[in-house]
Amino acid sequence: EVEQLGGKIIINASNEQELLSFTNSNFWGISIRNKDVTNEFLSSLNLNGKRLILYDVRSPKKSREALNKHPDYLFTDDIKTTLTEKY
């Protein structure tokens, strides 16, 4: 699924294998549901300068998990909780 975010084109991956297949594309960034990707997988992945966007983060525990994956952007349902977890 291709989307546009602030004039930038991003692709939405549904699993780690799909995410891997998009790393050599011309898209600006790749988004993926937080639960669909592991920290270990992301640590070993070369995104070739693409931005990583994680979404579907709804609890303090999931906020911590997502922040530990070091995304460029994080879409969250509870910004206050997420900021509390980060700082």
Side-chain angles (χ1 to χ4, degrees):
E1 180 179 335
V2 178
E3 298 178 38
Q4 193 166 344
L5 175 70
K8 309 286 186 187
I9 297 178
I10 59 172
I11 188 97
N12 185 40
S14 58
N15 57 54
E16 290 180 345
Q17 191 61 36
E18 198 172 81
L19 179 79
L20 184 60
S21 71
F22 293 135
T23 58
N24 292 318
S25 68
N26 292 326
F27 297 108
W28 176 82
I30 303 169
S31 67
I32 189 165
R33 189 179 314 270
N34 182 50
K35 70 176 183 150
D36 292 339
V37 67
T38 64
N39 195 17
E40 293 79 15
F41 179 78
L42 289 175
S43 295
S44 68
L45 183 65
N46 178 0
L47 290 174
N48 293 321
K50 291 180 183 41
R51 305 303 191 275
L52 176 65
I53 303 161
L54 295 179
Y55 64 95
D56 201 18
V57 178
R58 297 191 170 108
S59 70
K61 179 181 176 187
K62 295 299 178 186
S63 292
R64 278 190 302 279
E65 288 176 9
L67 289 167
N68 285 332
K69 295 175 184 176
H70 306 288
D72 296 294
Y73 298 92
L74 179 62
F75 293 162
T76 179
D77 291 335
D78 188 346
I79 189 73
K80 185 177 179 181
T81 296
T82 301
L83 288 173
T84 300
E85 292 301 320
K86 181 162 177 73
Y87 302 106

